[in-house]
Amino acid sequence: RRTKFSPRVKVGSRFPHLQVSWWRRETGPPCVYSTIDLVAEHKRSFLILVPGSSGRAREVRDTLASLHEEVSFAVTTAFVNFGADSVDPRPGELFVEADWSKLEFDVGIEADKVLAVVVRPDGHVAAILKDPFRLTPYEVRTKLTDIGLAPTNTKRRSVSTAS
C-alpha cells in the first residue's frame, strides 16, 4: 500500500527531499541537487534554510552576520530564492533556488510566516523560526544554544581606552 509523499517539515522529523539548484564555483553552471545533498555536504555543521519569500530574509541575513561578529557557530546558511544575483555570498552562505511552496509545515505553522528552518547535521529539523520572532543577535544566539548548538568560539571586540 503506497501513500502520497508529503514533504512535511516538523521539528524532530527529517527534513524532506526538495530539489534545489545552486551555483558551485568548482563545477560551473548551476547544478541540481536535493536538500538531502545539502545536509550531507555540510554534515559537520547545522544548516539554516532561509526562504526569500518570508519578506524578512535580508533581516535574517544581517542578523546572522551581526551574530557572527560576536560568536562563531558551526552553521551553513542556505538562502532559498533570495534573488541574490547582485549579492556575493559571505563565508558560510549559499544561495539556492527551490520550490519552497512544495513543503508542508506542521500544524499551526503557515509557510509564509517561516523565517528559517534549522536542520541538525543528522538531517533532522531542530527548530522552525517563525513570525513573530525578534531578530536580534541575542535572540538568535539564545535559540541556537537552546537547540544544542554550541558556539565554536567567542570573539572579543577590541575596546580602546583613553589614557
Side-chain angles (χ1 to χ4, degrees), residues 128-151:
I128 301 172
L129 306 181
K130 59 185 177 168
D131 262 341
F133 184 82
R134 287 189 48 206
L135 281 171
T136 65
Y138 173 78
E139 296 292 335
V140 173
R141 180 181 183 168
T142 300
K143 185 65 173 177
L144 293 177
T145 54
D146 284 351
I147 61 173
L149 184 55

Side-chain angles (χ1 to χ4, degrees), residues 3-71:
T3 59
K4 180 181 172 253
F5 172 70
S6 173
R8 183 168 297 277
V9 180
K10 178 179 168 180
V11 173
S13 66
R14 283 198 168 274
F15 191 82
H17 161 76
L18 182 66
Q19 184 173 319
V20 296
S21 63
W22 83 89
W23 184 277
R24 301 195 56 190
R25 288 188 176 98
E26 317 86 60
T27 58
C31 297
V32 177
Y33 293 93
S34 164
T35 48
I36 296 166
D37 298 319
L38 277 176
V39 171
E41 184 163 316
H42 300 93
K43 62 184 168 200
R44 291 196 170 108
S45 65
F46 276 58
L47 180 65
I48 301 175
L49 296 159
V50 180
S53 61
S54 76
R56 294 181 69 191
R58 290 190 188 279
E59 187 181 353
V60 172
R61 184 174 191 243
D62 293 341
T63 300
L64 290 170
S66 294
L67 176 62
H68 187 69
E69 290 176 9
E70 298 171 14
V71 65

